[in-house]
Amino acid sequence: MAGNKSLRDANANKEDEFYTQLSYIEEELRHYKHHFHGKTVLCNCDDPRVSNFFKYFALNFEHLGLKRLITTCYKNQDINLFTENEAEKAVYLIYEGDKNGNRQIDLDEIEVHELQGDGDFRSKECIELLKQADIVVTNPPFSLFRVYLDQLM
């Protein structure tokens, strides 16, 4: 259990930001490759700028045979020098694979859409995105884990 110390500490301290390492994602999801073919995957608690789940699915989109990848991002509540006194907008991204055949993820291949609300997975607009998904793979906030599971059920 020593390897889970940082995870246990984050849970105990109610720190909701815990990013899964890409190597852990690759190791676990290799066992489920055949489940992803033709599916829409939703990462509904992931900031795609730092999420290794988004990175994994985008980089392996064709290899897994995905139909669509949707990622939602909770609104940044922090105001700093770069946000000009406004917190960032909540967004969702849609990626449907390599469109130009260069085997790279190009920015123009990723659709970025603003959410009306704050991007909370419980919001009506995020629930509508959830209804489009076949598979959900994400890091839900520790403090809302039970609420998150109840919603999925």
Side-chain angles (χ1 to χ4, degrees), residues 56-95:
Y56 173 82
F57 286 113
L59 290 172
N60 292 285
F61 193 91
E62 281 79 15
H63 178 71
L64 293 169
L66 292 177
K67 176 182 174 185
R68 187 180 222 198
L69 173 61
I70 304 171
T71 306
T72 62
C73 179
Y74 189 74
K75 179 180 178 180
N76 180 359
Q77 302 295 328
D78 298 327
I79 296 174
N80 60 39
L81 293 173
F82 304 106
T83 58
E84 299 178 6
N85 296 326
E86 289 185 27
E88 294 178 32
K89 299 275 187 192
V91 297
Y92 71 96
L93 278 61
I94 295 176
Y95 181 64

Side-chain angles (χ1 to χ4, degrees), residues 26-45:
E26 292 169 338
E27 178 62 27
E28 183 61 28
L29 294 184
R30 71 183 177 89
H31 301 288
Y32 307 100
K33 179 185 172 195
H34 65 280
H35 293 287
F36 291 104
H37 185 78
K39 304 293 184 184
T40 294
V41 173
L42 175 66
C43 303
N44 62 345
C45 296

